[in-house]
Amino acid sequence: MTKKLYLETFGCQMNVLDSELVLGQLRAQGYESVEEREEADVVIYNTCSVREHAEQKVWSRLGEMRDWKKTRPGTVIGVIGCMAERDGKDIFRKFPHVDLLCGPGELDKLAGMVHNLVVTGTEARRHEGTKGRQVALMGANMRRSSTLAAAEDHLELLDLSRSISAEDNLAQAYVRITRGCNKFCTYCVVPYTRGPEVHRPPQNIIDEVKRLSDAGALEVTLLGQTINHYAFKHGDGRVTTFAELLYQIHEAVPGLPRLRFVTSFPRDFTNEALMVMRDCQRICRYLHVPAQSGSDRILKAMNRGYTAQEYYDFVGRAREYMPDVSIASDFIVGFPTETQDDFDQTAEMVRRCRFKNSFIFKYSPRPGTVAIERFEDDVPEETKRRWNNELLAVQQEACVRNNREMVGKVVEVMIEGETKLVSKKAYPASAGGVELGWEKRGGENGSDGASPATVVTQLIGRTRGDQVVAIDAPMGMRGRIVDVEITEAKNLTLFGKLVMSAVAG
Ligand code: SAM
Ligand code: SF4
C-alpha cells in the first residue's frame, strides 16, 4: 500500500529547496504527500535554528505529537535540517517518540533511512512498551574537517536527483549553487549546521536550470549563503567565478525570462558580476545584501569583515552600474553591547540606502555560536522591540517614497497568486464593464461559477526588482509574466492595471 507523507518546512529558501528534493526522492520510492498530518504514516519537520523563535515552533509541534504517537505507534516521526544537526541528542532525550534525525549535510540518505524505518521498525513499534529504533545522521562538522570539493561531496547527489516535470507546473524554482558557509559571523549557527562552503560544478547548475526552463519555469532563483563568493575550481586549475557562472547560465538558457540570486555578501562583489547583471537582460536587477548593522563597532563584534563605509561604497557602486537596481537588506537589532548611538547609525544607513525592503530581526542568542560565549545578551527585550519598530518605520518611509516614484511606470510583473477578492465587473473596464464591487471568491473558477476569463480578481505579482504589485485582472493568470501600469501607491502596496501580455504563460 502507498505510504503517506506529511512534510512541514520552517526557515529559509535553502530549506524549501531541501524539502522539495527529499520529497522528490521519497515520491520516487512510492510515498504520496498529504496536506493533513493526521493522515500520514510518516511525519517530517524540516527545521531552522537561526533564531530561537523558529525552534520553538518545532518544539511545540513535537510536543503535540507525544500523545498522538501513543495511539498510532506505527507512525514514523522525523526531524531534519538545522535543529537535527544542532540539537540532536536533546531532541531524542526530550521527545523519545521521535524516530529519526537527519542533518542538512546528510539529506541524500534520508529516503533510505525513512524507508528502513517504515519497513523494519513499524512492527517493533507496534508492540506496546517497545520504543522502536531511533536513527540519527549528522555530520556538518565532520564535513568541515576535511577539504571538501563538490566532486567528492555526496550531497551533490541530492541536487542531481531532482525530478523535474512539466506536470508540476512550476513557474518559479530554486537552484542551489553553493552549500554551507565559511564566514562565521559571531551570532550565526549556519556554518555549524550546514558545514563548509562547497561550490557545485557549473555544468551541473546549468543543466538543472535548463531542465527547469524546458519544463516551463519562468523564474529561477540561484541560492547560496554568500552567493557572490561562488568560485568553482576545475580539475585543470581553472576557476569559474560567480560573474562567469551568471553569464554562462544566461547564455545557455535563452528561454528563461527571469534569473535571480540570493544572498549576496557586501564584500567581494566584483565589478565583473555587476557588469554581467547590467548587460544580461534576463538577469533581474535585484540584490539582497544584508548589512546587519550601520555601526562599525557592532559590525566588528559580529565579525562581518566590512565597515559601514564599505557597505555604502558597495551600494553606490551597484547603483553606478545599474541606477534602477533594487536593493534589500537584513538587520539585527539589540546585538550585545549595542547602544543608542550604534542603533542611530543603523537607522541612518536604512535612511540613506533607500532599500526596497529590510528584514529586521531582534538578536537571538544561539547556543554554539561565538557571540553567546563572548557576550552577555545585555540589551533589554523592551529596547530590542522598540528599535525593531523604529527601524521598521524608517524602512516604511523609504518604501512609501520608492513606491510613489513607480506610479505611471509600466513594469513587467510575474503573477504569483490571487487574493481572496473578486469583482463581478466584466473585463476590461474600458469595454464598458460595470463595477459591482469586490466580494469574497466563491468556487474554484470564480464567483457564482462564472468563467475565469470574465471574472476579475485581485492578483499579486512581483516586478523584476522584487516589488509586490496588486493587479485587477482575469483569474487563471497565475504563473504568467505580464506588463502592468502602476496606477497607485498606497503606503506599502503598489496597484496596477494590465497593459498587455509580455510572455505567454
Ligand atoms: N548568509 C546571509 C548573510 O550573511 O547575509 C544570511 C543568512 S541568515 C540564515 C538570515 C538572516 O538571519 C541574517 O541575515 C541575519 O540578519 C538573521 N540572523 C542570523 N542569526 C541571527 C541571530 N542569532 N539573531 C537574529 N537574527 C539572526
Ligand atoms: Fe550566517 Fe554570516 Fe554565513 Fe550569513 S554569512 S550564513 S550570517 S555566518
Side-chain angles (χ1 to χ4, degrees):
M1 205 179 76
T2 314
K3 292 283 178 190
K4 297 195 166 123
L5 169 80
Y6 173 84
L7 173 60
E8 186 173 356
T9 307
F10 299 85
C12 63
Q13 296 107 324
M14 261 319 164
N15 269 13
V16 173
L17 175 59
D18 279 340
S19 285
E20 187 189 329
L21 296 177
V22 297
L23 207 60
Q25 291 206 328
L26 284 159
R27 280 200 190 122
Q29 292 208 0
Y31 289 81
E32 174 199 333
S33 54
V34 290
E35 302 273 323
E36 300 295 328
R37 187 170 73 173
E38 282 62 30
E39 293 172 21
D41 303 295
V42 178
V43 175
I44 297 179
Y45 296 109
N46 190 3
T47 59
C48 168
S49 284
V50 167
R51 282 169 294 277
E52 195 187 351
H53 182 64
E55 293 199 338
Q56 278 165 353
K57 286 192 209 156
V58 176
W59 295 127
S60 117
R61 296 284 198 284
L62 295 177
E64 289 159 20
M65 299 212 66
R66 196 188 302 270
D67 286 342
W68 198 65
K69 176 89 172 217
K70 283 185 193 144
T71 57
R72 304 185 53 179
T75 312
V76 171
I77 302 177
V79 177
I80 65 173
C82 293
M83 278 175 78
E85 183 69 39
R86 206 186 64 71
D87 272 347
K89 277 192 199 135
D90 255 7
I91 294 177
F92 273 161
R93 195 172 45 77
K94 288 190 202 146
F95 303 100
H97 54 290
V98 171
D99 304 289
L100 173 148
L101 298 174
C102 186
E106 305 294 329
L107 287 176
D108 56 310
K109 307 182 189 75
L110 180 75
M113 289 166 77
V114 168
H115 199 62
N116 274 350
L117 274 172
V118 168
V119 173
T120 62
T122 314
E123 264 321 299
R125 280 190 296 276
R126 273 207 186 103
H127 296 295
E128 229 181 324
T130 309
K131 203 166 48 155
R133 282 185 308 155
Q134 290 184 312
V135 290
L137 260 186
M138 287 89 97
N141 282 324
M142 268 164 43
R143 279 158 50 79
R144 185 169 292 289
S145 61
S146 57
T147 46
L148 196 64
E152 63 210 43
D153 180 12
H154 53 83
L155 250 185
E156 182 64 16
L157 296 174
L158 181 67
D159 295 81
L160 288 177
S161 74
R162 185 171 198 167
S163 63
I164 297 168
S165 135
E167 282 153 32
D168 292 338
N169 209 3
L170 266 187
Q172 293 162 298
Y174 293 127
V175 170
R176 184 170 8 234
I177 71 165
T178 301
R179 276 185 269 282
C181 181
N182 286 349
K183 290 305 299 174
F184 290 99
C185 301
T186 54
Y187 51 82
C188 184
V189 292
V190 172
Y192 307 98
T193 59
R194 288 202 175 260
E197 207 172 68
V198 180
H199 308 290
R200 296 185 60 205
Q203 198 54 51
N204 292 5
I205 299 167
I206 293 168
D207 289 346
E208 197 172 325
V209 177
K210 225 186 238 163
R211 286 200 295 137
L212 284 160
S213 170
D214 289 346
L218 297 177
E219 179 178 282
V220 167
T221 304
L222 307 176
L223 299 183
Q225 293 296 350
T226 54
I227 199 156
N228 44 313
H229 286 174
Y230 178 87
F232 182 82
K233 226 185 198 158
H234 297 265
D236 59 6
R238 270 181 316 120
V239 174
T240 297
T241 63
F242 178 59
E244 286 163 349
L245 177 75
L246 271 184
Y247 181 73
Q248 286 172 15
I249 300 174
H250 184 265
E251 296 304 295
V253 197
L256 182 74
R258 287 186 174 192
L259 180 63
R260 296 182 182 282
F261 57 88
V262 288
T263 309
S264 300
F265 195 74
R267 242 182 45 189
D268 319 315
F269 203 109
T270 62
N271 287 343
E272 285 73 23
L274 290 173
M275 277 189 252
V276 171
M277 285 180 77
R278 180 195 61 192
D279 297 340
C280 294
Q281 271 231 323
R282 287 171 294 105
I283 299 177
C284 296
R285 292 182 175 184
Y286 168 69
L287 288 166
H288 180 192
V289 206
Q292 312 298 1
S293 172
S295 149
D296 287 347
R297 197 180 67 78
I298 295 296
L299 286 170
K300 193 156 185 227
M302 289 175 164
N303 191 32
R304 288 290 287 182
Y306 54 85
T307 60
Q309 188 55 50
E310 283 168 323
Y311 187 88
Y312 285 124
D313 290 347
F314 170 67
V315 168
R317 197 155 51 91
R319 288 192 169 137
E320 228 170 78
Y321 280 92
M322 297 168 283
D324 58 344
V325 69
S326 163
I327 303 180
S329 191
D330 293 0
F331 290 93
I332 296 177
V333 293
F335 190 79
T337 76
E338 184 168 349
T339 61
Q340 183 65 42
D341 181 50
D342 294 314
F343 172 76
D344 290 344
Q345 293 178 55
T346 299
E348 175 60 15
M349 179 175 270
V350 173
R351 221 168 272 125
R352 266 178 65 183
C353 289
R354 281 190 70 173
F355 296 113
K356 187 220 64 159
N357 71 295
S358 293
F359 299 94
I360 299 163
F361 307 105
K362 290 182 285 176
Y363 169 68
S364 166
R366 305 311 296 135
T369 59
V370 170
I372 203 169
E373 302 294 326
R374 189 175 291 171
F375 306 106
E376 195 192 323
D377 180 20
D378 59 355
V379 177
E381 181 57 29
E382 176 48 38
T383 310
K384 286 185 188 171
R385 200 173 313 131
R386 179 165 55 80
W387 284 346
N388 187 67
N389 291 340
E390 285 178 20
L391 206 54
L392 270 175
V394 177
Q395 176 58 50
Q396 286 194 4
E397 281 171 30
C399 289
V400 169
R401 271 195 296 154
N402 293 343
N403 281 354
R404 274 198 207 124
E405 285 174 14
M406 297 282 292
V407 175
K409 289 190 179 156
V410 173
V411 288
E412 186 202 279
V413 172
M414 176 162 171
I415 310 290
E416 292 185 346
E418 290 157 356
T419 67
K420 289 207 159 57
L421 297 177
V422 288
S423 156
K424 286 195 209 163
K425 169 177 73 175
Y427 193 84
S430 56
V434 183
E435 179 69 79
L436 296 176
W438 293 97
E439 64 177 28
K440 261 209 162 150
R441 190 180 318 147
E444 259 301 288
N445 279 343
S447 176
D448 300 336
S451 96
T454 57
V455 176
V456 177
T457 186
Q458 197 173 62
L459 302 176
I460 294 293
R462 268 173 212 271
T463 66
R464 296 178 74 82
D466 206 48
Q467 285 129 320
V468 175
V469 185
I471 315 144
D472 301 350
M475 296 186 73
M477 293 191 71
R478 194 175 170 170
R480 300 263 309 265
I481 296 181
V482 291
D483 279 349
V484 169
E485 184 188 336
I486 303 298
T487 51
E488 205 181 347
K490 271 194 200 151
N491 294 328
L492 300 181
T493 316
L494 290 172
F495 293 85
K497 66 174 193 230
L498 208 58
V499 176
M500 54 174 270
S501 180
V503 176

